[in-house]
Amino acid sequence: MDRNRLFWASRRGMLELDLVLLPFLDNVYETLSEEDKQRYIRLLDEQDQDLFAWFLRREDPEDPELLKIVQVIRENTGLQD
């Protein structure tokens, strides 16, 4: 996915998610492994309510691959414990 399409896919229309995903995209995405980049792209297909719950640690994704990228995002966006 090219950078412009990735940016628009990361804009969720929910301020709380935009404040997590857009800085992550700008500051961390390029440093990810190819596997993690693909996980991030898969993550963007998930529902906003699920993303919100995952980032706030209310729940974890059942899919272990999605859990890996959610943990990376949590660690890099000020969402640590």
Side-chain angles (χ1 to χ4, degrees):
M1 182 178 290
D2 70 50
R3 181 77 176 177
N4 192 41
R5 291 179 74 178
L6 193 56
F7 171 80
W8 286 105
S10 296
R11 289 198 58 190
R12 307 303 287 204
M14 183 177 181
L15 179 61
E16 295 86 352
L17 292 179
D18 289 349
L19 291 172
V20 171
L21 294 174
L22 295 177
F24 181 83
L25 181 63
D26 286 340
N27 301 318
V28 180
Y29 179 81
E30 290 301 322
T31 68
L32 297 176
S33 67
E34 285 304 313
E35 293 84 10
D36 281 342
K37 287 180 180 179
Q38 291 305 311
R39 288 180 186 111
Y40 182 80
I41 291 169
R42 272 193 58 216
L43 182 75
L44 296 177
D45 289 334
E46 298 299 318
Q47 297 294 315
D48 289 353
Q49 299 88 340
D50 292 331
L51 295 175
F52 186 70
W54 297 341
F55 295 148
L56 292 181
R57 298 180 186 273
R58 292 181 182 160
E59 301 174 11
D60 287 326
E62 292 181 17
D63 181 328
E65 294 299 309
L66 289 179
L67 180 57
K68 288 179 184 179
I69 192 63
V70 166
Q71 289 172 329
V72 170
I73 292 169
R74 288 172 178 167
E75 292 167 2
N76 288 281
T77 54
L79 297 171
Q80 304 89 337
D81 284 332

